[in-house]
Amino acid sequence: MEKIIVYMPNWLGDVIMALPALRQIRKNNPQSHITVLTKSIYKDIYLTEDVDNIIEIVSFGNAVKEIRKLKFDQGFLFTNSFSSALIFFLGNVKNIIGYAKEGRSIFLSCHPKLSSKILSLHQSEQFLNLVNNNLEKINDDIFRVLSVNKFAQKKADDFIEKNNPGSKKIIGFGIGAKFGSAKEWLPLYYRELAHELVKNYNAVIILFGTLKETDSARYISQGLNHNDCINLAGKTNIADLIAHINNCSMFIGNDSGLVHIAGALNKRTIAIFGSTSAKKTAPLGKNVKVISSCAECAPCFKRVCSLGTMECMKEITVEKVLDVLWHTDDVLWHTDDVLWHT
């Protein structure tokens, strides 16, 4: 039996965008033993995917040691770093496939050229290109809805039953972005939007993020009672996070891993893009809308606004988000109408 290892991405959004390619590997190799190499924090995502083994990255040396034990015939690199290729090389992976970046081509058995055409593709298609050179032969079934851990879902359901006794519509806010503050819509805008939705949409707001967003979450929820604005920032693991987002009627958030989860769950999702480009990293899913900034400086792809003005995010006003939200119905949410530019 052929043994395949896949080095999955290090960012949550990239992990979600790489799942179709991981599923395509299984489709191409139904009898193979497939292992994913991943950060420990993302392990729960793969427990609901069709893989045979998960190796958690504890350290560079430990990863090499664990890979050597299993004697892999083939390895796919969904990361672009030199160190990830070196791990596979030192782990004696026989056939290493990945893009030739950071001078690592000496370790690669196959490295498709990163042409301008490939670079122009959506990130999910760049991952798929490593697996299937002919993207036209890709079937839609690999873009299926993200699976949810049943125990985490039961836990999330119980939480909602306790905290949303009136069965109001649940709207999730993804208020952070691990990449950097330049990708974050203004807390003031989130606060104004939360008040508007609670008042006029009979909604309960759930705030999602990491511990880093604790202060922002506290600010956004000011003036709203606990049952109207529930703060889960920094309080969930990945499995619980997916289950809680699955309970949302709608999700609004920055270009971050959270909107990618919402999109992959086929939630009605509004993704806010300021410093980054939706053409390459818009969330996957049938019910995704993207609002992209028209500021002259956007997209700059920087972690922190170099101008110190956050003009790209200021330009995306609460009114613009509400305009998209109030006009959302079954006619407007189509996969062939993914990008909405302000």
Side-chain angles (χ1 to χ4, degrees):
M1 179 186 295
E2 184 182 38
K3 293 183 179 180
I4 299 172
I5 184 168
V6 185
Y7 200 132
M8 293 298 288
N10 296 316
W11 297 88
L12 178 56
D14 289 349
V15 167
I16 302 301
M17 289 187 284
L19 288 179
L22 178 63
R23 294 163 184 165
Q24 187 64 41
I25 291 173
R26 167 57 75 197
K27 192 169 185 178
N28 293 349
N29 305 275
Q31 302 304 318
S32 296
H33 184 281
I34 297 178
T35 294
V36 295
L37 180 66
T38 179
K39 284 185 173 181
S40 297
I41 190 174
Y42 303 137
K43 177 182 177 180
D44 287 342
I45 294 174
Y46 308 110
L47 293 176
T48 55
E49 294 293 324
D50 188 8
V51 298
D52 301 292
N53 187 32
I54 301 169
I55 298 176
E56 299 175 54
I57 301 172
V58 178
S59 66
F60 183 97
N62 178 262
V64 171
K65 181 180 178 181
E66 293 300 314
I67 291 170
R68 275 184 180 171
K69 287 181 183 178
L70 295 174
K71 300 179 180 179
F72 290 101
D73 302 292
Q74 190 173 47
F76 289 90
L77 292 167
F78 289 164
T79 55
N80 291 322
S81 67
F82 181 91
S83 61
S84 59
L86 182 59
I87 285 175
F88 273 14
F89 178 76
L90 295 178
N92 295 329
V93 178
K94 293 179 183 177
N95 183 30
I96 304 173
I97 301 168
Y99 289 118
K101 299 191 71 174
E102 295 194 7
R104 66 183 192 171
S105 58
I106 56 173
F107 303 131
L108 305 179
S109 311
C110 178
H111 44 87
K113 185 178 179 181
L114 267 175
S115 63
S116 57
K117 180 181 179 181
I118 297 301
L119 288 172
S120 69
L121 295 174
H122 188 273
Q123 184 65 63
S124 64
E125 294 177 313
Q126 290 188 29
F127 291 131
L128 280 165
N129 184 63
L130 283 175
V131 180
N132 276 44
N133 288 330
N134 189 348
L135 294 177
E136 293 180 0
K137 293 185 177 181
I138 299 297
N139 294 321
D140 288 343
D141 61 339
I142 62 171
F143 293 95
R144 62 182 177 271
V145 176
L146 185 65
S147 298
V148 185
N149 180 286
K150 64 180 182 179
F151 299 107
Q153 190 62 67
K154 176 62 167 60
K155 182 179 175 182
D157 291 345
D158 291 344
F159 178 88
I160 289 301
E161 185 177 348
K162 178 181 178 181
N163 291 278
N164 184 25
S167 299
K168 296 179 180 180
K169 286 186 178 294
I170 301 170
I171 300 180
F173 283 5
I175 63 175
K178 190 174 182 180
F179 179 79
S181 60
K183 295 174 70 173
E184 296 177 356
W185 203 41
L186 305 183
L188 173 63
Y189 286 3
Y190 273 120
R191 182 180 176 180
E192 291 177 359
L193 182 62
H195 280 261
E196 180 69 21
L197 295 177
V198 168
K199 178 182 177 182
N200 295 322
Y201 199 66
N202 192 35
V204 170
I205 307 299
I206 299 184
L207 304 178
F208 296 97
T210 65
L211 286 173
K212 182 173 70 71
E213 284 79 53
T214 300
D215 289 341
S216 292
R218 189 179 298 114
Y219 172 79
I220 293 167
S221 62
Q222 284 179 1
L224 297 171
N225 67 50
H226 171 72
N227 286 334
D228 286 333
C229 189
I230 302 169
N231 177 16
L232 291 183
K235 300 177 182 179
T236 58
N237 58 30
I238 288 293
D240 292 339
L241 177 66
I242 292 171
H244 279 296
I245 293 177
N246 194 45
N247 280 341
C248 294
S249 301
M250 178 178 288
F251 195 90
I252 302 167
N254 311 318
D255 172 23
S256 68
L258 301 183
V259 290
H260 285 279
I261 289 174
L265 288 168
N266 271 348
K267 297 289 128 179
R268 292 189 170 187
T269 303
I270 298 175
I272 299 172
F273 277 70
S275 64
T276 48
S277 171
K279 290 182 179 179
K280 290 190 175 183
T281 58
L284 302 173
K286 296 180 178 180
N287 294 313
V288 175
K289 292 290 184 184
V290 173
I291 304 178
S292 294
S293 177
C294 283
E296 291 184 5
C297 55
C300 68
F301 301 103
K302 294 181 179 178
R303 291 177 182 266
V304 179
C305 177
S306 60
L307 301 176
T309 62
M310 293 294 289
E311 190 61 35
C312 64
M313 288 304 187
K314 288 180 180 177
E315 194 269 339
I316 302 174
T317 63
V318 174
E319 288 71 25
K320 288 181 177 179
V321 174
L322 285 171
D323 184 61
V324 174
L325 188 150
W326 293 131
H327 289 86
T328 54
D329 57 30
D330 292 337
V331 174
L332 289 177
W333 294 74
H334 294 303
T335 53
D336 59 352
D337 185 24
V338 174
L339 305 182
W340 271 46
H341 296 276
T342 62

